[in-house]
Amino acid sequence: MRTALRGRSRTRGWPAVVAVLALLATVLTFGRTASAAEVLLSRGKPASASSSESSALGPAKAVDGKADTRWASKEGAGAQWLSVDLGADVSISRVRLTWEAAYAKAYRIEVSPDGASWTKVYSTSAGNGGVEDLGGLATHGRHVRVYASTRATEYGYSLWEFEVFGAGGPDTTPPSAPTALRVTGTTPTGVSLSWTASTDNVGVTGYDVLRDGVRVGTSTGTTYTDTGLTTGVAYSYTVRARDAAGNVSAPSAAVIGRPQAGSSSFTVVAAGDISDPGCTSAQQCGAEQTARRIEAIDPDEVLTLGDNQYDTGSLADYRNYYDTTWGRFKAKTRPSPGNHEFDDSTPEAGYKAYFGDRATPAGTTWYSWDRGGWHFIALDSEQPMTDDSDQLQWLRSDLANNAQGCVAAYWHRPLYSSGPQADKVSQTAWQVLYDAHTDLVLNGHDHLYERYAPQNPKAKADPAGIRELIVGTGGADPYDFESPQPNSEKRVTGSPAVLKLTLTPGTYSGQLIRYDGSQLDSFGPVACH
């Protein structure tokens, strides 16, 4: 009885109206359709649905091109869907829905490569029924469905036609050029490369790797190792993408790879909050204890994470105390300043005078340097780190020009801490570093050690996020923890200690080593992003 009544009382004359509306939509969109060379892809293709009111109102009725047949879901049902299989992964530019009176107020259009995992390309909560022509989708997929979630009437959902349009001719659109090509490692006869994937209207199938303009290999992923090279010679590399139709992208920006002899790993020691007044090599104070541990480790590089000298950071104090302890590693130290470096009468004067060019190698207290496939960035959290600051503008430019595969940044004030001194001053810098796939951030300020799992700038766990390490254990009196923060994996306080990082062109591992040589934490090796 329901179907018969519905057909007599609510749909009388509707096929004719639909035909007029469809013709009007076609006329109104003719210029756009013709210029875009769109064709109807869904006509007569296999269709399926979450439910059907009857066999006469099955899903195939919505893709048969007939104005007097339709699909209808079960009456009064909740969310329902209708899907069409286009037979291949194709470019999709437009979907046109011709609703019967039982239309959806809220629905979304989704695409899928396999009919199982779906991606939303359009949604609305203000559907009007009638003919809804949804252009500008610029997507691709094999399966397309309309997923209706809110009914506009007491009945279910019903479509006279579900039409999917796309490119009618062969695919001639090339993929985008690969970006962020970088050298991730070298051997005496090889160079390893990595890049960010290209996008395509249908799909990228592989990449060509060019050395000095000549193709030397291909990859289906975003990494490649070129071998059989000569040690010390500089080679220029670019990468281009291919799609299934054979279209080739423009080449990426070039990077230089130079095969290197020697070990592919190196060590870095880091800590902040180091030397108290009166602490010299003749005393068993914290700075001297950690200095002796650094001597035992014998690292390739030493990083300071600010508050290197208490309480004023004056040049006299640097010379009298820091210099007699950690000053033994000055030639291999890459410093960063803290708030106590600003407690002198002239901000940072003692810090700059003591470290000289090592504190300001580029004329500012923020700078970067490379080693072994790693790009290191020293920032100054006592200077403005706002979006429009000189420091952040430099940071964006520096990251855009980086060619190394792994990235570590360090400064004094931590964004996150389970101790008493978390500070939001670096929130924007974190976002910029996160967007550039930075691996590590090292901080001090809180006199304790804390290791975080990778997270995003909103403190959400994220495997592609940044791992923060607070290493304020260089020698100053320790702090206690307050409330543990999300993603905090390890917390240690109470003893002077240093962080030892062992780095390769594609990995990092670390140990927190107490002044007496005992190991307080260990992690890795972890692959770089």
Side-chain angles (χ1 to χ4, degrees):
M1 179 65 72
R2 158 72 181 92
T3 303
L5 287 173
R6 181 179 181 178
R8 288 198 302 270
S9 64
R10 298 178 60 252
T11 65
R12 182 177 299 165
W14 183 251
V17 174
V18 169
V20 172
L21 289 172
L23 176 61
L24 179 59
T26 301
V27 171
L28 291 175
T29 60
F30 174 76
R32 173 171 57 80
T33 302
S35 63
E38 286 182 331
V39 296
L40 179 58
L41 303 171
S42 54
R43 181 70 53 81
K45 295 296 175 64
S48 57
S50 53
S51 70
S52 295
E53 185 176 331
S54 71
S55 59
L57 299 171
K61 302 297 184 180
V63 294
D64 61 4
K66 298 178 181 179
D68 59 350
T69 62
R70 61 186 173 89
W71 163 74
S73 71
K74 290 182 178 180
E75 289 187 32
Q80 297 287 297
W81 54 264
L82 172 67
S83 173
V84 60
D85 181 355
L86 303 178
D89 195 319
V90 295
S91 300
I92 298 165
S93 56
R94 185 161 57 99
V95 169
R96 186 161 63 204
L97 305 172
T98 305
W99 295 98
E100 194 250 359
Y103 70 95
K105 192 70 174 175
Y107 65 88
R108 59 184 184 262
I109 304 298
E110 300 176 323
V111 297
S112 170
D114 54 11
S117 59
W118 295 91
T119 300
K120 180 178 68 177
V121 296
Y122 174 83
S123 66
T124 183
S125 58
N128 293 316
V131 177
E132 293 186 286
D133 204 336
L134 313 174
L137 297 183
T139 186
H140 67 89
R142 172 171 175 167
H143 302 263
V144 185
R145 75 177 179 182
V146 53
Y147 187 98
S149 55
T150 303
R151 302 191 308 273
T153 71
E154 62 184 300
Y155 305 107
Y157 307 95
S158 184
L159 281 163
W160 292 104
E161 282 294 304
F162 177 35
E163 298 171 290
V164 180
F165 298 84
D171 178 14
T172 59
T173 303
S176 64
T179 58
L181 178 63
R182 52 203 180 273
V183 175
T184 58
T186 60
T187 67
T189 59
V191 172
S192 295
L193 303 167
S194 178
W195 56 90
T196 298
S198 299
T199 58
D200 186 63
N201 62 324
V202 174
V204 172
T205 58
Y207 298 88
D208 296 333
V209 179
L210 292 83
R211 182 208 311 144
D212 297 331
V214 178
R215 191 175 74 169
V216 294
T218 61
S219 174
T220 57
T222 56
T223 60
Y224 182 82
T225 297
D226 190 21
T227 59
L229 307 176
T230 302
T231 302
V233 174
Y235 298 93
S236 177
Y237 289 95
T238 56
V239 177
R240 62 193 183 198
R242 291 182 176 274
D243 65 15
N247 299 305
V248 181
S249 76
S252 67
V255 297
I256 301 299
R258 190 188 305 270
Q260 300 286 346
S263 173
S264 61
S265 69
F266 63 103
T267 57
V268 171
V269 162
D273 307 279
I274 301 167
S275 182
D276 280 322
C279 180
T280 69
S281 57
Q283 299 173 313
Q284 283 300 311
C285 52
E288 175 59 19
Q289 290 175 323
T290 53
R292 292 183 180 180
R293 182 46 44 195
I294 295 172
E295 285 182 316
I297 295 171
D298 190 23
D300 297 293
E301 306 281 355
V302 174
L303 311 184
T304 73
L305 308 179
D307 283 4
N308 313 307
Q309 177 60 56
Y310 291 88
D311 279 323
T312 67
S314 68
L315 178 58
D317 281 350
Y318 260 103
R319 287 173 173 168
N320 290 332
Y321 310 121
Y322 180 94
D323 192 60
T324 67
T325 56
W326 280 50
R328 305 201 282 271
F329 323 112
K330 186 176 179 180
K332 60 172 77 173
T333 296
R334 313 273 190 166
S336 66
N339 53 291
H340 280 277
E341 270 72 41
F342 271 76
D343 285 346
D344 195 7
S345 58
T346 305
E348 289 183 328
Y351 169 79
K352 292 178 181 178
Y354 177 75
F355 285 110
D357 290 344
R358 300 198 72 83
T360 57
T364 61
T365 49
W366 51 88
Y367 60 94
S368 64
W369 51 282
D370 296 334
R371 180 163 184 160
W374 280 78
H375 185 62
F376 294 87
I377 303 168
L379 297 179
D380 185 347
S381 56
E382 307 311 306
Q383 300 284 358
M385 300 180 85
T386 54
D387 190 61
D388 59 350
S389 66
D390 290 344
Q391 185 168 197
L392 263 292
Q393 291 180 27
W394 170 88
L395 177 61
R396 291 189 180 91
S397 175
D398 178 80
L399 287 166
N401 292 314
N402 169 45
Q404 306 304 308
C406 305
V407 180
Y410 58 102
W411 64 88
H412 188 56
R413 298 176 185 263
L415 178 59
Y416 303 112
S417 177
S418 298
Q421 297 197 111
D423 196 316
K424 297 294 185 182
V425 68
S426 61
Q427 181 85 57
T428 305
W430 250 77
Q431 185 66 57
V432 173
L433 291 163
Y434 173 81
D435 292 341
H437 311 295
T438 296
D439 299 282
L440 292 173
V441 160
L442 310 179
N443 302 123
H445 201 39
D446 269 339
H447 301 184
L448 45 80
Y449 170 84
E450 186 167 24
R451 167 168 55 87
Y452 282 83
Q455 58 186 334
N456 66 25
K458 302 298 184 182
K460 300 297 183 182
D462 183 351
I466 301 172
R467 183 186 300 279
E468 182 192 82
L469 296 161
I470 302 175
V471 196
T473 55
D477 291 340
Y479 291 172
D480 291 328
F481 288 99
E482 295 187 346
S483 54
Q485 296 301 297
N487 309 309
S488 176
E489 292 183 320
K490 182 71 173 182
R491 296 180 293 278
V492 178
T493 191
S495 296
V498 296
L499 175 68
K500 176 188 175 183
L501 293 172
T502 302
L503 308 174
T504 75
T507 67
Y508 65 88
S509 58
Q511 296 84 37
L512 180 68
I513 303 178
R514 193 170 180 260
Y515 68 90
D516 60 2
S518 58
Q519 185 171 283
L520 304 178
D521 186 30
S522 178
F523 56 91
V526 180
C528 295
H529 299 324

